[in-house]
Structure formats: structure tokens, C-alpha cells
């Protein structure tokens, strides 16, 4: 796992941060991206400020997953996408625009989807586990870039991030 995460990191030398199409609620969904064949992100727990959920929907298959950042399955997944996946889809629509999200996930655009909730309702997939660390490490890296001052120098701090992201 650590090696897979590290390899993924070494392949990409920069994080692209696109300005959102519409303003987003960062406190609710601090991280959302269309990457690695998934809509994926980090969603705050509604009840516990210390807890976050890692949620994802695969492009094409529409397999979805939601777990805590230490891989405990989300209690809201009972055969249907949980509220975190709904929040993720809503924020993805704000961040990227509905067209881009439906195209990326390959949701049939002829079905009259106009919101994140409608998009989730049209998913054809079922629950499939994705290791939370894969997504969570990208979130940590995203945070690290936001906090760093602009520089063209190599960033030695990033060398320890993959191990941290994969730690249990
Ligand atoms: Zn959930």
C-alpha cells in the first residue's frame, strides 16, 4: 500500500487546483477532485468535528465507496449512497460544473440530471471498497500545497507525506 501510494505521488509532480465554477462550502467538503478515474473527496462528519469521511464514485462502473479516513465503513451505506456521497456530488457540481462531472462519470446526459442529488440517483453501480489512504493522501498533499509559499525550489517536505497518509 505504501509503495503504491508513493508511486502514485512520484508520477505527478504538481497538483492542479482549478478555481470552482461556483463558490463551495469548504468546511463541509474540504476536498473534491475528478482524478484516477473517480470522483473522490473528503467530507466532514455532520456530528463529529474530529472525523472525516473519504467518499468516491468510479467513472463508468459507478461503484461507490464511503469510509472514515482509517477505513471504517460508513454506517450510512445501506445498499444506497450515503449523505456523504450526496454532499460530494453536490460540491463536485459546484467545483466543476454539472456537464463536466456527468461526462467524467459517464452518467447518461439524456436523463435530465440537474443537481448532485439527481446525479447520485442515476448511478448504476454498487458499493465497492477503495482504500481510504489512496484518496486521503491526495487530500493531505493538496493541503500541503495550499500552505506552502510559492516557490520553484524542490519541496523536501513532501517526501514524508506518503508514509503519513498510509499510516493506520
Ligand atoms: Zn458516508
Amino acid at each position: 500500500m505504501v509503495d503504491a501510494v508513493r508511486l502514485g505521488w512520484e508520477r505527478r509532480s504538481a497538483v492542479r487546483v482549478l478555481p470552482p465554477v461556483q463558490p463551495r462550502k469548504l468546511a463541509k467538503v474540504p476536498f473534491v477532485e475528478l482524478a484516477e478515474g473517480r470522483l473522490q473527496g473528503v467530507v466532514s462528519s455532520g456530528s463529529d468535528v474530529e472525523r472525516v469521511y473519504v467518499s468516491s464514485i468510479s467513472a463508468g462502473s459507478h461503484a461507490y465507496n464511503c469510509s472514515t479516513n482509517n477505513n471504517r465503513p460508513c454506517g450510512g451505506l445501506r445498499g444506497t449512497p450515503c449523505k456523504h456521497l450526496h454532499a460530494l456530488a453536490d460540491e463536485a457540481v459546484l467545483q466543476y460544473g454539472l456537464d463536466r462531472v456527468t461526462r467524467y462519470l459517464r452518467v447518461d446526459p439524456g436523463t435530465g440530471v440537474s443537481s448532485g442529488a439527481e446525479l447520485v440517483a442515476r448511478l448504476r453501480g454498487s458499493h465497492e471498497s477503495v482504500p481510504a489512504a489512496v484518496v486521503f493522501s491526495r487530500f493531505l498533499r493538496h493541503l500541503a500545497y495550499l500552505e506552502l509559499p510559492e516557490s520553484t525550489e524542490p519541496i523536501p517536505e513532501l517526501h514524508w507525506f506518503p508514509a503519513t497518509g498510509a499510516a493506520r
Side-chain angles (χ1 to χ4, degrees), residues 31-112:
F31 180 58
V32 57
E33 66 172 2
L34 296 171
E36 302 178 320
R38 288 186 293 269
L39 162 60
Q40 56 191 18
V42 171
V43 181
S44 304
S45 162
S47 52
D48 181 349
V49 290
E50 308 250 303
R51 191 184 304 158
V52 294
Y53 288 88
V54 175
S55 307
S56 64
I57 300 167
S58 294
S61 75
H62 299 169
Y64 55 84
N65 187 48
C66 184
S67 66
T68 65
N69 58 308
N70 41 17
N71 281 323
R72 290 214 180 84
C74 172
L77 280 182
R78 295 189 197 93
T80 52
C82 60
K83 63 178 181 180
H84 309 112
L85 283 158
H86 280 95
L88 179 75
D90 282 342
E91 295 302 301
V93 167
L94 293 179
Q95 175 79 35
Y96 295 103
L98 187 66
D99 283 355
R100 198 158 158 213
V101 178
T102 52
R103 250 185 293 131
Y104 190 88
L105 291 177
R106 282 172 259 152
V107 173
D108 181 3
T111 50

